[in-house]
Amino acid sequence: LSFFCAGSGEPTLVLEAPSGISNEEAFANVIEDLSAGHTVCAYERAFYGESEPLADGQIQSLQDYVDELAAFLDSQHQTQPIILVGYSYGGWVSRSYAANHPERVAGLVLIDSPHVQWMRQMKSKMDVEDWVKVEDIFEWFLANRGHDAWNSQFEMEATPDLPPNLPLAVITRTQDHERMRLSGISEAAFRIYNDVHFELAPDLLNLTERTIGFSATQSQHYIPESEPEIVLEAVQAVVTLTNTDHSDLK
């Protein structure tokens, strides 16, 4: 797997991309600013960046990506606690890693990351014809990228709780994800796709006792592209909370 690092400074920020895009592309609008005061690193999943594709028939789900993240951090000899910045599906990878390796994570930023019930609630509310079109997207990722989003939700659900004192910033979009119209779903299903996401998003504010919420009022799903300043603000908020923790130890 390929990787990149930029900048210098602690705490190190480690990026986790959405499905279907490289970290370098997903975070293009914020990497330069983030790396002005921090070391910023990311590995690229199979098929993205310069990483090799998976072997024929190989399938990956959430735990596989968590294991890859752990292996990447070990390869970088990362000994100090990091801040994970997880975008969309990358938020699940970040949450799972933080829950299973709490001693290695100082803070967490989630960018429009889905609720664990989102896909199942969509399925229960959509007509069969519309759900098949949504399912076609999952099937494409499974067949062409070995990426199993559907079963990842159950692995996410089985993940331990985050430490209650973990600094966490949750960024949520407030606009519809218009690109979903390309799937051909009906207007009713389009509303379900977005409204279920909006209805469940506030639950993420209860993930820790030190969670701060940010609303991306000008954004659809592509928040680092349309509102990079809110990503920078959220990261800085988590950094500030981690610095407060270190001050308390002195």
Side-chain angles (χ1 to χ4, degrees):
L1 298 177
S2 64
F3 72 93
F4 65 87
C5 289
S8 62
E10 297 293 339
T12 294
L13 311 178
V14 178
L15 312 178
E16 272 290 342
S19 304
I21 189 172
S22 70
N23 275 294
E24 195 165 13
E25 186 178 356
F27 292 98
N29 274 17
V30 296
I31 288 175
E32 182 176 355
D33 286 329
L34 291 175
S35 62
H38 300 273
T39 302
V40 179
C41 291
Y43 76 93
E44 300 291 10
R45 299 179 194 135
F47 295 98
Y48 300 102
E50 297 181 7
S51 294
E52 296 291 329
L54 295 175
D56 288 347
Q58 185 178 355
I59 302 297
Q60 291 185 311
S61 56
L62 181 61
Q63 188 57 51
D64 298 297
Y65 299 123
V66 173
D67 291 344
E68 285 183 347
L69 174 57
F72 167 67
L73 293 173
D74 288 344
S75 75
Q76 297 302 298
H77 307 290
Q78 183 64 46
T79 57
Q80 296 300 313
I82 61 172
I83 292 177
L84 284 163
V85 184
Y87 180 5
S88 191
Y89 181 89
W92 282 4
V93 180
S94 300
R95 281 175 58 186
S96 183
Y97 181 86
N100 286 288
H101 303 276
E103 74 287 353
R104 302 189 70 175
V105 179
L108 186 58
V109 178
L110 302 179
I111 305 172
D112 208 39
S113 189
H115 191 282
V116 70
Q117 289 283 340
W118 179 53
M119 288 186 278
R120 278 169 286 173
Q121 287 205 18
M122 274 197 298
K123 181 179 181 180
S124 70
K125 294 181 178 184
M126 284 186 184
D127 291 341
V128 172
E129 183 179 349
D130 281 316
W131 177 250
V132 167
K133 294 175 181 177
V134 175
E135 198 170 35
D136 283 346
I137 299 172
F138 299 140
E139 292 298 328
W140 185 92
F141 275 104
L142 194 61
N144 294 278
R145 295 292 183 267
H147 176 65
D148 189 348
W150 181 259
N151 283 313
S152 290
Q153 67 184 315
F154 303 112
E155 295 175 25
M156 185 69 249
E157 200 163 47
T159 297
D161 291 341
L162 292 169
N165 64 339
L166 182 72
L168 168 62
V170 174
I171 308 173
T172 56
R173 63 181 168 92
T174 60
Q175 296 189 11
D176 292 337
H177 186 28
E178 293 290 339
R179 186 176 176 82
M180 194 59 193
R181 293 187 187 279
L182 297 177
S183 66
I185 58 175
S186 68
E187 184 62 27
F190 178 77
R191 284 267 42 91
I192 291 168
Y193 177 92
N194 288 286
D195 290 346
V196 170
H197 179 78
F198 296 145
E199 290 163 7
L200 292 173
D203 284 355
L204 300 181
L205 299 175
N206 300 317
L207 287 174
T208 78
E209 296 171 3
R210 304 177 72 195
T211 301
I212 307 171
F214 294 84
S215 293
T217 59
Q218 306 301 313
S219 296
Q220 299 177 31
H221 188 51
Y222 308 111
I223 296 171
E225 178 181 335
S226 55
E227 289 184 85
E229 66 279 0
I230 203 168
V231 176
L232 302 177
E233 183 183 355
V235 169
Q236 185 55 53
V238 171
V239 170
T240 299
L241 285 174
T242 62
N243 288 340
T244 300
D245 291 343
H246 294 157
S247 296
D248 290 343
L249 295 175
K250 293 179 180 180

